[in-house]
């Protein structure tokens, strides 16, 4: 049974890059274009992990993470923040919002997979 | 094309959208809309471009975008006001970013000197470079400091302690086992790991982490349950277990262990001690301030914890026994290793697209392949036409099988042709998008204020047309600002807003694309224009011209020269060159102007350069094609309708007197004008509602013809726009109506014939 990963990013480039890294590694990939869309997809699926961008229209990644962590049914899903903003303050904000981990763009596919394996039971 | 190449295409498409967003957003900000949404939109655009560029190793682009983004972040955080100092730099940066993206698309780096200049300017806005080190200086530093993994995991093996927190917070998911190899040649590592409850609240899982650690070698895990309270005191969200791990094995390096705990160290007390090594303490980093989220029901987590605990408990007394239940899970990490950058294969793709959204599939095709296809379809149309003609000549009954099959073939061929043409169609957007920048540059160089408006940028037209629009548009927009718009003070004095409006619009109209550039400036200064034309000897001093005719003067060759072209408008190019470049595309340019209210320059262009609906006519022994789009109607001149005016003739048709032009004479097929009464006249529309009647010997019919460039195959011929292969397989020339009519109009000026086009 392959693991399912929900990717949330407003950039189609990034969504496709994630897909091209995840699918060959045997993951099923779901996609959402922003936090709000992510919550919609989440309502109809049970991903094993979420990878989300921070800066997105409508609902940003931090709000999205907080929303997931407040949802009793979904809060146990690991969330990896995907961001170019590599400084500590930004990561700290993601951490406070409830992010499980982070990966810095641009990412190396192998590192991405390693990061996911570190959070997916 | 590899998967990465495909995504690269997606990236550059997305860049176009983001650049437009950026431009729109900045324009809105410039107009005073500095609300959070707008600023965020702008920020996101740059951010996305940077993010994608990083994935495709466009380091120079990333570096520039990074600095730009940093400044935008200051604006976004209200630490920097988007004022008259900041906005021009932003706009220039956006322009440059567009250049860099374009360069990246073509595999280049773009103008790096310009990047440096702008980086310095950008950094100056936020009080100098961050950390006192300008990004402009680090030449080939690569990612613009993004790929922290590249240096934060730099192997200074024994120095973990000294590097302290920074190392751990590196952010990159360093795989750099090499980092500490040599130093960590097989010695045991001792890990002390005490999760705090926040660790579970963030969906981290102690068991998973321990499993990963165990995968590195031979692990001995002890669970410390001394903190577990009595049942009634247990907080379901609490974290009570601590773990001690002893790890042995070749892969058991401190770096690898640290990597595993990279996420967890936010929320745990962690000590990793290589035997005999130093002991950096990461425990302090975590902080304990995530309380806001601890409303949680974490039973599920707790259950997991208890499950983990069970075997551990049993081995607790028997210190040092392995952890049998926590086996490494190689099946999840194996594919990861196999996943190289470019080796994505079908196996992976076949995986599970499942519910994932299906993006519009775009393929990149070399243009010459499409052109080859269009050419072949063109030949097919010609052959089909010939065949149809033969069948018709054979006089088969209309209901016969051959005739109806030929009709079906005709329909299919044309549909095929339309479909192939559609492949080359592109929105004019790509050209329109370049114009705001030009407007800004021109406005700032001329001291004018310009509100630039575009409409219909999704209107599609043949790629070649799109590409060749750039120069004429550039010139006309410069003109509109430089010559059309008045200076702000003058405008205010006239009761107009200080800011002038220049509008660029595109629309489809009866099989052509109409592109209009209009301004609300002063309109063409007719007395001045006329004077210039007289001074340059283009018209006689006593010429009497209608307003429309006067406006046309600006398009006469030799009208626009150094004295009228400023540094801005000119590259020494006059409107005559613009006009002829549009005509070379089979287009027409017309001008309308209202004094004090502004001018409009309208281009009418064919949607495709490959086919043309034409009327086949005969002149002497030649077969000619007159573009159907120009024809109003055909008629046989009646006695009394034709008048001789000077050396020219006019014909009276539908209450108009229009110039009568013998095509045979105009193209040099005969010396003496033919008798109009024995010929057929074709009334054609020219620019500015002018009409002329073209005299031909005979009309043969109407047909779609495939255009073959004369310039490519022979050389430009005045009065002929292109050639085609007729149904009989002969070469037929396509008449350049505008050129022939234009000659005539010019003659009229020279000979002082007025009122020829009176309505």
């Amino acid at each position: 049974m392959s693991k399912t990963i929900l990717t949330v990013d407003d950039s189609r480039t990034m969504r496709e890059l994630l897909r091209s890294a995840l699918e060959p590694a045997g993951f099923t990939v779901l996609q959402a274009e922003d936090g709000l869309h992510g919550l919609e997809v989440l309502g109809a699926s049970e991903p094993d992990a979420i990878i989300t961008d921070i800066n997105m229209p409508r609902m940003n990644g931090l709000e999205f993470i907080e929303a997931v962590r407040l949802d009793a049914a979904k809060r146990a899903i690991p969330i990896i923040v995907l961001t170019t903003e590599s400084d500590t303050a930004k990561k700290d904000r993601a951490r406070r919002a409830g992010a499980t981990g982070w990966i810095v763009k641009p990412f190396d596919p192998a590192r991405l997979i390693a990061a996911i394996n570190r959070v997916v039971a | 094309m590899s998967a990465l190449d495909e995504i690269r295409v997606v990236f550059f498409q997305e860049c176009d959208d983001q650049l437009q967003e950026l431009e729109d957003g900045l324009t809105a900000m410039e107009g005073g809309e500095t609300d959070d949404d707008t600023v965020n939109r702008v920020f996101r655009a740059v951010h996305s471009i940077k993010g994608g560029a990083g994935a495709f190793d466009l380091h120079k682009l990333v570096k520039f975008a990074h600095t730009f983004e940093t400044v935008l972040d200051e604006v976004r955080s209200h630490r920097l006001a988007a004022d008259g100092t900041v906005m021009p730099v932003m706009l220039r940066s956006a322009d440059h970013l567009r250049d860099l993206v374009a360069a990246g698309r073509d595999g280049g780096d773009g103008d790096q000197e310009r990047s440096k200049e702008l980086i310095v300017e950008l950094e100056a806005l936020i009080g100098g470079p961050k950390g006192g080190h300008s990004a402009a200086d680090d030449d080939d530093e690569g990612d613009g400091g993004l790929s922290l993994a590249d240096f934060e995991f730099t192997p200074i093996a024994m120095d973990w302690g000294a590097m302290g927190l920074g190392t751990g917070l590196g952010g990159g998911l360093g795989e750099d086992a090499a980092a500490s190899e040599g130093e960590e040649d097989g010695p045991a590592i001792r890990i002390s790991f005490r999760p705090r409850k926040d660790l579970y609240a963030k969906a981290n899982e102690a068991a998973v982490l321990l499993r990963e650690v165990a995968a590195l070698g031979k692990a001995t895990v002890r669970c410390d349950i001394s903190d577990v309270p009595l049942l009634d005191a247990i907080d379901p969200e609490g974290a009570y277990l601590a773990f001690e791990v002893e790890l042995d094995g070749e892969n058991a390096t401190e770096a690898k262990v640290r990597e595993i705990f990279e996420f967890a160290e936010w929320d745990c007390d962690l000590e990793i001690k290589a035997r005999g090594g130093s002991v950096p303490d990461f425990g302090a980093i975590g902080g304990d301030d995530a309380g806001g989220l601890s409303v949680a029901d974490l039973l599920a987590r707790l259950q997991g914890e208890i499950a983990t605990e069970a075997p551990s408990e049993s081995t607790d007394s028997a210190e040092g026994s392995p952890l049998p239940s926590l086996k490494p899970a190689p099946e999840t990490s194996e594919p990861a290793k196999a996943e190289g950058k470019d080796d994505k294969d079908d196996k992976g793709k076949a995986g599970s697209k499942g519910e994932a959204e299906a993006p519009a599939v775009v393929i990149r095709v070399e243009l010459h392949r499409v052109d080859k296809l269009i050419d072949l379809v063109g030949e097919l149309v010609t052959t089909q036409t010939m065949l149809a003609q033969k069948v018709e000549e054979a006089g088969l009954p209309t209901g016969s099988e051959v005739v109806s099959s030929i009709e079906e073939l005709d329909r299919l061929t044309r549909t095929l042709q339309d479909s192939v043409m559609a492949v080359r169609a592109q929105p004019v957007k790509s050209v329109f998008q370049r114009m705001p920048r030009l407007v800004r540059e021109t406005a700032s160089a001329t001291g004018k204020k310009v509100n630039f408006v575009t409409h219909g940028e999704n209107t599609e037209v043949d790629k070649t047309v799109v590409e060749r629009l750039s120069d004429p548009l550039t010139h006309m927009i410069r003109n509109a600002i430089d010559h059309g718009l008045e200076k702000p003070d003058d405008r205010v004095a006239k009761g107009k807003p200080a800011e002038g409006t220049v509008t660029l619009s595109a629309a489809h109209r009866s099989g052509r694309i109409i592109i209009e550039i209009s301004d609300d400036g002063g309109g063409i200064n007719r007395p001045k224009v006329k004077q210039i034309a007289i001074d340059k000897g283009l018209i006689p001093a006593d010429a009497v011209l209608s307003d429309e005719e006067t406006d046309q003067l600006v398009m006469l060759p030799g009208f626009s020269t150094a004295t009228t072209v400023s540094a801005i408008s000119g590259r020494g190019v006059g409107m005559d060159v613009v006009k002829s470049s549009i005509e070379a595309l089979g287009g027409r340019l017309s001008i309308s102007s209202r004094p004090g209210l502004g001018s409009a320059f309208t281009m009418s262009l064919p949607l495709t350069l490959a086919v043309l609906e034409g009327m086949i006519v005969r002149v002497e022994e030649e077969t000619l094609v007159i573009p159907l789009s120009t024809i109003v109607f055909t008629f046989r001149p009646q006695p009394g309708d034709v008048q001789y005016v000077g050396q020219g003739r006019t014909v009276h048709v539908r209450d108009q007197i229009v110039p009568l032009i013998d095509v045979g004479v105009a193209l040099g097929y005969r010396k003496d004008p033919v008798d109009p009464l024995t010929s057929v006249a074709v009334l054609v529309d020219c620019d500015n509602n002018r009409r002329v009647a073209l005299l031909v010997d005979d009309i043969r019919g109407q047909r779609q013809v495939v255009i073959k460039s004369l310039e490519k195959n022979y050389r430009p011929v005045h009065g002929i726009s292109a050639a085609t292969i007729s149904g009989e397989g002969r070469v037929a020339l396509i008449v350049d109506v505008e050129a022939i009519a234009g000659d005539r109009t010019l003659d009229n000026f020279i000979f002082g014939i007025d009122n020829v086009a009176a309505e």
Side-chain angles (χ1 to χ4, degrees):
Chain A
M1 174 66 186
S2 79
K3 304 277 187 198
T4 301
I5 312 290
L6 167 62
T7 59
V8 189
D9 200 310
D10 56 326
S11 158
R12 191 153 76 87
T13 308
M14 213 41 76
R15 290 200 301 274
E16 290 306 307
L17 281 169
L18 286 168
R19 184 212 291 278
S20 75
L22 293 170
E23 284 187 349
F27 292 101
T28 300
V29 179
L30 303 180
Q31 295 183 333
E33 290 174 13
D34 57 38
L36 222 49
H37 188 198
L39 290 180
E40 279 171 33
V41 176
L42 209 49
S45 60
E46 291 285 341
D48 296 281
I50 299 169
I51 300 174
T52 181
D53 186 25
I54 289 190
N55 208 306
M56 296 180 289
R58 298 207 303 165
M59 177 188 275
N60 70 33
L62 301 177
E63 295 162 335
F64 171 67
I65 295 168
E66 283 169 8
V68 175
R69 292 288 177 249
L70 286 172
D71 179 342
K74 308 286 179 187
R75 65 158 49 104
I77 302 174
I79 303 176
I80 291 178
V81 177
L82 183 62
T83 177
T84 52
E85 296 157 310
S86 52
D87 67 273
T88 319
K90 298 249 167 65
K91 256 179 263 164
D92 205 51
R93 255 163 50 204
R95 180 176 73 81
R96 281 201 301 274
T100 313
W102 75 88
I103 182 160
V104 175
K105 290 187 276 193
F107 59 84
D108 173 56
R111 287 179 175 174
L112 175 74
I113 305 298
I116 290 170
N117 285 330
R118 215 174 304 146
V119 297
V120 175
Chain B
M1 186 160 33
S2 78
L4 205 65
D5 283 344
E6 280 174 34
I7 299 173
R8 199 171 185 275
V9 174
V10 170
F11 167 63
F12 283 112
Q13 285 169 346
E14 201 166 18
C15 274
D16 285 342
D17 296 343
Q18 299 292 0
L19 286 166
Q20 193 55 40
E21 277 282 299
L22 173 62
E23 179 121 19
D24 291 349
L26 285 176
T27 309
M29 283 170 70
E30 209 185 15
E33 291 174 46
T34 52
D35 55 288
D36 288 357
D37 270 0
T38 307
V39 178
N40 244 318
R41 199 153 62 98
V42 168
F43 177 87
R44 243 190 337 264
V46 177
H47 182 74
S48 291
I49 290 171
K50 185 183 90 171
F56 297 103
D57 294 331
L58 300 165
H59 300 308
K60 313 266 186 185
L61 175 54
V62 169
K63 187 170 76 182
F64 180 73
H66 181 69
T67 310
F68 193 2
E69 183 191 27
T70 307
V71 175
L72 283 166
D73 193 35
E74 293 295 300
V75 176
R76 192 169 65 137
S77 318
H78 304 287
R79 288 191 293 265
L80 179 68
D83 58 18
T85 318
V86 172
M87 287 314 296
V89 183
M90 299 271 213
L91 287 162
R92 284 202 298 277
S93 298
D95 292 340
H96 185 57
L97 191 63
R98 187 182 284 279
D99 289 346
L100 290 179
V101 167
R105 193 188 317 243
D106 300 337
D109 280 337
D111 183 348
Q112 289 307 301
E113 284 308 308
R114 179 82 176 138
S115 285
K116 279 186 188 173
E117 285 166 25
L118 279 166
I119 285 174
V120 169
E121 279 193 67
L122 284 165
E123 285 172 342
L125 295 177
I126 51 173
K130 277 200 167 173
H133 173 70
S134 172
D137 298 336
D138 22 78
D139 248 348
D140 282 308
E141 177 246 12
D143 292 351
L146 273 180
S147 183
L148 295 174
D150 286 346
F151 59 89
E152 300 237 351
F153 285 86
T154 302
I156 308 173
M158 65 287 283
D159 221 353
W160 290 108
M163 289 176 80
L165 306 187
T167 312
L169 283 174
L173 293 162
E175 284 254 312
D176 306 47
S180 19
E181 111 193 285
E183 161 75 6
E184 304 293 340
D185 196 21
I189 290 179
R190 179 184 290 274
I191 304 161
S192 166
F193 170 44
R194 178 180 291 275
R196 286 191 292 266
K197 64 181 187 179
D198 286 340
L199 182 132
Y200 300 107
K202 287 168 195 157
N204 260 312
E205 173 58 87
V208 175
L209 296 168
L210 292 171
R211 186 186 66 193
E212 290 272 311
V213 171
L216 291 178
K218 183 167 172 289
T220 307
V221 182
R222 280 178 299 141
C223 180
D224 176 0
I225 56 164
S226 58
D227 283 350
V228 179
L230 292 173
L231 192 57
D232 58 357
I234 284 186
D235 172 1
E237 296 172 6
Y240 301 107
L241 303 179
F243 304 90
E244 296 283 337
V245 185
E246 283 175 15
L247 184 65
D248 262 311
E250 278 192 20
N251 280 327
T253 64
E254 182 174 326
K256 288 210 163 185
V257 171
R258 219 164 264 302
E259 195 186 315
I260 289 169
F261 285 99
E262 189 179 29
F263 297 156
E265 68 196 18
W266 280 349
D267 302 298
C268 67
D269 297 321
L270 182 68
E271 266 183 33
I272 300 172
K273 195 196 289 184
R275 192 170 287 156
S278 55
V279 189
D281 180 10
F282 282 81
I285 304 164
D288 205 358
D289 48 0
L293 292 165
S294 57
V295 221
D297 159 14
L298 282 176
L299 267 178
R301 289 290 107 177
L302 188 62
Q303 274 161 4
E305 193 169 337
I306 289 165
T308 314
E309 194 179 330
S312 314
E313 218 169 358
S314 65
T315 59
D316 191 36
S317 51
E319 217 180 279
S321 67
L323 193 70
S325 67
L326 294 176
K327 282 198 174 148
E331 79 279 3
T332 47
S333 49
E334 280 297 307
K337 282 174 198 146
E339 162 69 357
K341 256 200 165 173
D342 283 318
D343 66 352
K344 177 172 169 161
D345 56 13
D346 289 338
K347 178 182 69 187
K349 268 187 168 171
S352 33
K353 294 245 158 148
E355 303 136 79
E357 74 173 30
V361 178
V362 176
I363 60 161
R364 269 200 307 193
V365 181
E366 284 169 63
L367 192 59
H368 75 86
R369 293 197 198 188
V370 176
D371 287 345
K372 177 78 184 161
L373 191 60
I374 288 177
D375 223 38
L376 286 172
V377 172
E379 304 291 339
L380 183 66
V381 170
T382 306
T383 313
Q384 191 276 330
T385 311
M386 267 155 71
L387 187 60
Q389 207 163 314
K390 297 286 176 225
V391 169
E392 201 183 319
E393 284 166 10
L396 293 171
T398 33
S400 78
E401 214 165 295
V402 172
V403 172
S404 59
S405 297
I406 287 286
E407 280 166 3
E408 176 65 8
L409 181 62
D410 180 60
R411 199 183 56 75
L412 283 174
T413 319
R414 290 192 195 291
T415 314
L416 177 63
Q417 192 170 35
D418 288 347
S419 309
V420 173
M421 292 305 166
V423 175
R424 281 186 58 104
Q426 276 192 336
V428 291
K429 199 173 181 178
S430 57
V431 180
F432 276 27
Q433 279 178 350
R434 295 207 284 271
M435 297 303 149
R437 165 184 197 164
L438 172 82
V439 169
R440 276 198 297 281
E441 284 169 358
T442 314
S444 83
T446 55
K448 313 231 169 128
K449 290 190 167 172
V450 188
N451 171 33
F452 184 61
V453 182
T454 58
H455 298 297
E457 54 186 20
N458 288 320
T459 311
E460 290 194 338
V461 68
D462 188 272
K463 181 176 161 59
T464 311
V465 177
V466 173
E467 283 161 359
R468 296 206 214 150
L469 275 177
S470 185
D471 283 350
L473 281 184
T474 301
H475 192 77
M476 284 190 282
I477 288 175
R478 277 186 179 147
N479 266 342
I481 297 169
D482 193 19
H483 299 314
L485 295 184
E486 311 91 332
K487 291 218 181 291
D489 291 349
D490 298 344
R491 289 180 63 87
V492 172
K494 286 182 189 170
K496 293 181 180 181
E499 187 182 62
T501 299
V502 173
T503 307
L504 172 63
S505 68
H508 282 156
R509 206 177 302 153
S510 50
R512 292 176 76 83
I513 182 169
I514 310 294
I515 296 175
E516 188 172 276
I517 293 143
S518 59
D519 63 72
D520 66 348
I524 289 176
N525 184 340
R526 290 179 179 135
K528 190 176 160 195
V529 163
K530 192 174 171 192
Q531 192 54 51
I532 290 171
I534 292 169
D535 291 349
K536 291 185 185 294
L538 300 172
I539 55 169
D542 57 354
V544 180
L545 305 177
S546 69
D547 286 349
E548 287 72 26
E549 285 165 343
T550 310
D551 292 344
Q552 307 308 314
L553 291 174
V554 303
M555 296 193 291
L556 280 181
F559 176 84
S560 176
T561 62
T563 52
T564 51
V565 177
S566 73
I568 299 308
S569 296
R571 279 179 286 184
V573 179
M575 280 305 291
D576 58 321
V577 178
V578 173
K579 183 171 188 262
S580 54
S581 68
I582 291 167
E583 283 167 355
L585 288 170
R588 299 196 293 269
L589 175 65
S590 61
I591 302 176
S592 71
S593 177
R594 285 182 297 166
L597 296 174
S599 313
F601 288 74
T602 309
M603 284 183 244
S604 158
L605 294 158
L607 292 180
T608 166
L609 301 179
V611 285
L612 174 130
E613 196 74 36
M615 183 172 279
I616 315 297
V617 301
R618 194 179 57 80
V619 175
E620 294 292 300
E621 291 311 308
E622 299 297 325
T623 304
L624 299 174
V625 180
I626 299 175
L628 205 63
S629 57
T630 64
I631 298 177
V632 185
F633 68 96
T634 58
F635 62 99
R636 286 192 178 274
Q638 298 302 309
D641 287 348
V642 180
Q643 291 170 324
Y644 290 79
V645 187
Q647 289 188 3
R649 291 182 293 187
T650 64
V651 62
H652 187 230
V653 55
R654 286 197 180 171
D655 298 331
Q656 286 183 38
I657 296 171
V658 300
L660 184 63
I661 299 166
D662 185 333
V663 175
V665 174
L667 294 179
Y669 293 140
R670 58 185 162 225
K671 248 188 137 23
D672 302 317
V674 75
D675 178 5
L677 302 184
T678 64
S679 310
V680 183
V682 181
L683 185 68
V684 294
D685 251 337
C686 304
D687 301 338
N688 307 299
N689 304 317
R690 284 183 309 124
R691 287 177 172 177
V692 299
L694 302 179
L695 210 52
V696 300
D697 297 356
D698 195 8
I699 289 177
R700 288 286 172 81
Q702 187 179 321
R703 193 171 305 150
Q704 199 172 44
V705 299
V706 180
I707 300 172
K708 303 278 180 190
S709 165
L710 262 190
E711 287 157 60
K712 215 185 281 174
N713 297 312
Y714 180 51
R715 61 182 172 82
V717 178
H718 186 70
I720 299 294
S721 62
T724 186
I725 313 292
S726 73
E728 301 86 20
R730 295 176 55 194
V731 172
L733 300 175
I734 300 169
V735 176
D736 184 346
V737 169
E738 200 65 35
I740 291 183
D743 291 348
R744 186 63 193 176
T745 318
L746 193 55
D747 286 349
N748 291 345
F749 287 148
I750 290 164
F751 294 108
I753 301 162
D754 56 311
N755 216 23
V756 285
E759 308 233 338

